[in-house]
Amino acid sequence: MNTAQWNPLKVKSLLGLQGMAEDSAFVKLGNYISIREVSSQTIIRHAGTVETESHVLEKGLIGMFRNGKLIRLFFEGDMFLDFDSYREQIPSRFEFRALMNSCFTVLTYEDEKLVLQDLPEFRVVSEYLISKVRNSNEQWVAFSQLPYEDRLRELELKVPNLRFVLKIKELASLLGISNRSVTRLRSKESHQGGGENWKDSITQEIGYPFKHSRHDQADQLEALAISWACDFHSFLCEPEEVKRFQKAKLGLLSTYLYPEIDFHKGLWITKLYVWLFFLDDKTDQLIPGSKERFWKLILDWVLVFWGKERGNPPFLPSKIASIANAFQDLWMELEQMEQVSKVQVELIQTEVQAHLHYSWIEAGFRDRGVYPSLEDYLEYKPYFSGAKLAVSLTCLEFEDQVFESDSLWKETASLRDLGAKLIFLDNDLISYKKEQAIGDHMNYLALLVMHNSLSPLEAKEKVLAIRTSVLQDFMAENKRWMEDFNPENHLILQKLKYIKFKIAASAFWSLKISNRYD
């Protein structure tokens, strides 16, 4: 990176070197030092390689790992390097990795020699920094002897909410405690200021000026969909799994989202939701490193089945083959269903493909233990959360001839986008505590804690404020269509009602019906 983009005098301030060399000497130092910016989870140097650079951390957080375990942290103003490897030019046992988006200086081993040769006043500075590094190592060793709660308290003075910034296994290895103990620490913190029960506190915050409803044949729809998954396709086959599925009322969500839909179309959607819930839960159960492949196999198979990719379908292991067979059965049923047009099928195909694609992307983040930027997350989340799919499946609530023209779909695009955003914001608020407990950080609140160093309570308030703004925009759209009544707009008003059902029902089901987020 161009050295003109940073101020060499900042190094003097960060390292406390006032009075040890003139400012003019530090300006000259800028000719030898560069600066590097890296994203979270970037490996700066692998174990087994020689340390050829020394660094001063300007912002962010750096971790030192040995055998895959986090053993030390470096904060703003710290020098970080394996000093023994650097001095002796021998392979290092340690890996350095960015744990937050970070920025640091880079001085190579060869350039340090040139600095001491060309700028002799830095010899005193070099000797001071060597003693500073050694003293820092000794202080860390002494720090490691404190009780883990005292250490965490001190560390969070430097990085607020560090317990949420680090992965569960990273914090566990750093503090020398179990993953379960880390989960308890997180739970304890997330409750502070938010009431004894996170879900109860969110219930008080989330409300809508319109009501939810429930399909009058909901229980039958649920029973038939679960029977389809268990008895016909056996992808949902373990008794305990079926029992958990039923206890969480996963088969009932669609009956709240589409309360006035035709029974046969409603059953199709309920089966689709059972299939998608199974994929979501299976992803949580798979070990890191296998989640992305799981979704890629399904996505590639579906694309070949649809004829969107050429060639033979990919080989599927037997358990995944049963999932694919179920989808094939489901899709053929949709194509043959009465009063469903080709346009409706194509709309649903587009949304299902987007859902599978972004679920694959999410699985990749989880496999690699890295997290998207807030901007990327806001782009991906409406898709892999199912929020976009939920509002788009309203096309099945209309008669097929409605879609002979695309005017309805175009005119309600803003309503669908705002509705999907409200659904996923509610979901992230409701699910935050549970997802933190299992180490799943693909949540808006979790990313605000990580990227913006907010507390869980601050992140919650920020998301609630965003949600309020989105709801105001939605209600402005609602007012525009409700006040300008025109008989020709009756389909748009009908669509508006269906979207409001989904917004209100999604929150109600998550908070009052299901135990999924308890």
Side-chain angles (χ1 to χ4, degrees):
M1 184 174 290
N2 191 335
T3 56
Q5 294 180 328
W6 69 288
N7 180 8
L9 293 178
K10 188 173 183 181
V11 174
K12 182 177 183 178
S13 174
L14 282 170
L15 295 176
L17 300 176
Q18 290 84 350
M20 300 195 71
E22 297 296 327
D23 286 355
S24 58
F26 276 93
V27 172
K28 294 177 182 177
L29 184 65
N31 296 322
Y32 303 87
I33 295 180
S34 62
I35 195 164
R36 187 181 303 162
E37 293 181 305
V38 298
S39 58
S40 178
Q41 298 301 317
T42 298
I43 295 177
I44 299 166
R45 183 182 53 70
H46 290 276
T49 58
V50 176
E51 184 71 273
T52 59
E53 299 175 344
S54 63
H55 313 93
V56 177
L57 184 60
E58 287 200 3
K59 66 176 182 178
L61 182 67
I62 303 297
M64 173 188 276
F65 291 78
R66 184 177 183 186
N67 297 328
K69 295 184 179 296
L70 179 62
I71 61 172
R72 182 174 175 182
L73 297 175
F74 295 89
F75 305 94
E76 181 178 326
D78 285 347
M79 287 189 66
F80 68 92
L81 75 162
D82 180 349
F83 183 70
D84 291 335
S85 173
Y86 184 82
R87 180 184 59 186
E88 303 295 335
Q89 288 296 280
I90 58 175
S92 171
R93 296 169 294 169
F94 309 107
E95 173 188 290
F96 286 98
R97 188 189 309 163
L99 300 174
M100 298 172 63
N101 294 342
S102 300
C103 177
F104 51 85
T105 64
V106 179
L107 176 64
T108 68
Y109 181 77
E110 295 301 325
D111 282 342
E112 184 193 6
K113 291 181 179 180
L114 292 176
V115 169
L116 296 178
Q117 175 184 306
D118 300 343
L119 304 172
E121 58 264 60
F122 275 98
R123 290 174 184 168
V124 174
V125 173
S126 177
E127 292 175 0
Y128 170 77
L129 292 178
I130 289 172
S131 66
K132 184 179 176 72
V133 168
R134 286 174 172 163
N135 184 55
S136 174
N137 292 341
E138 293 170 0
Q139 288 179 338
W140 186 267
V141 170
F143 179 71
S144 70
Q145 302 304 298
L146 296 174
Y148 76 85
E149 288 186 319
D150 292 346
R151 279 183 284 151
L152 181 59
R153 192 176 301 113
E154 290 296 319
L155 292 172
E156 288 192 326
L157 292 176
K158 296 185 177 183
V159 180
N161 310 300
L162 181 68
R163 71 189 71 191
F164 298 101
V165 172
L166 299 181
K167 300 176 189 177
I168 289 177
K169 64 179 181 180
E170 290 172 346
L171 188 57
S173 62
L174 181 69
L175 298 179
I177 59 178
S178 68
N179 291 351
R180 183 173 295 181
S181 295
V182 172
T183 299
R184 285 197 295 268
L185 284 171
R186 286 179 162 189
S187 179
K188 177 181 178 182
E189 175 65 19
S190 64
H191 281 157
Q192 291 181 1
E196 286 302 312
N197 183 287
W198 178 270
K199 192 172 173 181
D200 287 347
S201 72
I202 295 298
T203 301
Q204 298 172 21
E205 302 279 2
I206 292 179
Y208 288 102
F210 38 84
K211 294 183 179 181
H212 65 274
S213 188
R214 182 178 188 264
H215 200 285
D216 58 7
Q217 294 174 285
D219 293 337
Q220 187 179 358
L221 289 169
E222 178 195 29
L224 288 171
I226 291 179
S227 174
W228 170 80
C230 298
D231 302 327
F232 286 80
H233 292 287
S234 300
F235 64 85
L236 186 64
C237 55
E238 297 296 331
E240 286 302 315
E241 195 170 35
V242 175
K243 186 183 296 184
R244 179 189 54 78
F245 214 85
Q246 292 172 322
K247 186 176 180 181
K249 308 295 184 184
L250 302 185
L252 282 178
L253 173 58
S254 64
T255 69
Y256 285 90
L257 298 177
Y258 310 91
E260 297 183 357
I261 197 167
D262 168 82
F263 181 84
H264 296 290
K265 293 178 181 178
L267 179 57
W268 187 89
I269 292 177
T270 303
K271 289 191 285 190
L272 176 65
Y273 269 77
V274 167
W275 188 77
L276 292 172
F277 270 127
F278 178 82
L279 296 186
D280 189 57
D281 287 354
K282 182 59 66 178
T283 306
D284 289 340
Q285 295 163 14
L286 292 171
I287 63 172
S290 60
K291 301 176 190 291
E292 185 176 23
R293 181 169 180 264
F294 173 72
W295 279 98
K296 183 63 172 169
L297 282 170
I298 292 169
L299 175 60
D300 287 349
W301 185 92
V302 168
L303 291 177
V304 173
F305 167 65
W306 279 339
K308 293 198 168 191
E309 295 287 346
R310 293 183 178 180
N312 296 321
F315 169 78
L316 298 179
S318 59
K319 289 188 176 181
I320 298 181
S322 66
I323 299 171
N325 288 339
F327 183 82
Q328 180 175 356
D329 175 35
L330 195 61
W331 199 256
M332 291 172 63
E333 180 184 344
L334 177 66
E335 292 181 324
Q336 297 167 11
M337 192 177 296
E338 294 182 1
Q339 296 184 339
V340 174
S341 69
K342 183 179 179 181
V343 174
Q344 287 169 301
V345 172
E346 289 173 349
L347 286 172
I348 296 169
Q349 185 180 75
T350 298
E351 294 301 329
V352 170
Q353 181 176 339
H355 180 86
L356 297 178
H357 174 77
Y358 284 102
S359 295
W360 167 54
I361 290 178
E362 181 207 17
F365 280 114
R366 294 179 65 183
D367 266 355
R368 290 184 286 276
V370 298
Y371 308 105
S373 66
L374 290 168
E375 293 77 14
D376 286 345
Y377 178 79
L378 291 176
E379 176 188 345
Y380 303 157
K381 180 67 175 186
Y383 293 97
F384 70 74
S385 68
K388 284 275 289 183
L389 182 62
V391 295
S392 296
L393 285 174
T394 53
C395 68
L396 279 184
E397 295 178 286
F398 291 89
E399 295 180 359
D400 53 346
Q401 63 265 28
V402 168
F403 289 90
E404 292 175 359
S405 165
D406 61 0
S407 60
L408 173 64
W409 205 247
K410 287 183 177 179
E411 289 187 274
T412 57
S414 177
L415 286 171
R416 292 198 310 277
D417 289 343
L418 291 169
K421 195 166 187 179
L422 285 169
I423 290 171
F424 95 73
L425 289 172
D426 285 351
N427 182 258
D428 276 11
L429 284 161
I430 296 165
S431 65
Y432 171 72
K433 182 191 167 188
K434 181 197 173 183
E435 290 174 348
Q436 287 300 285
I438 63 174
D440 180 359
H441 301 298
M442 293 296 282
N443 179 291
Y444 197 14
L445 281 75
L447 294 177
L448 285 169
V449 169
M450 287 184 174
H451 293 318
N452 292 0
S453 298
L454 302 182
S455 71
L457 186 57
E458 290 170 333
K460 170 187 167 186
E461 293 303 319
K462 183 174 181 63
V463 174
L464 283 170
I466 293 170
R467 176 187 175 277
T468 297
S469 176
V470 176
L471 179 57
Q472 288 172 347
D473 291 342
F474 181 85
M475 293 310 297
E477 284 283 293
N478 177 79
K479 182 179 181 181
R480 179 168 73 90
W481 289 111
M482 295 287 286
E483 288 186 345
D484 184 24
F485 176 72
N486 182 331
E488 294 182 1
N489 292 336
H490 73 283
L491 291 176
I492 292 176
L493 294 175
Q494 193 174 350
K495 177 84 174 222
L496 174 61
K497 180 181 75 168
Y498 290 156
I499 292 174
K500 287 191 285 190
F501 276 154
K502 286 154 192 58
I503 296 169
S506 178
F508 178 79
W509 177 85
S510 299
L511 291 168
K512 298 294 187 181
I513 302 300
S514 178
N515 65 0
R516 187 170 179 80
Y517 304 115
D518 290 353

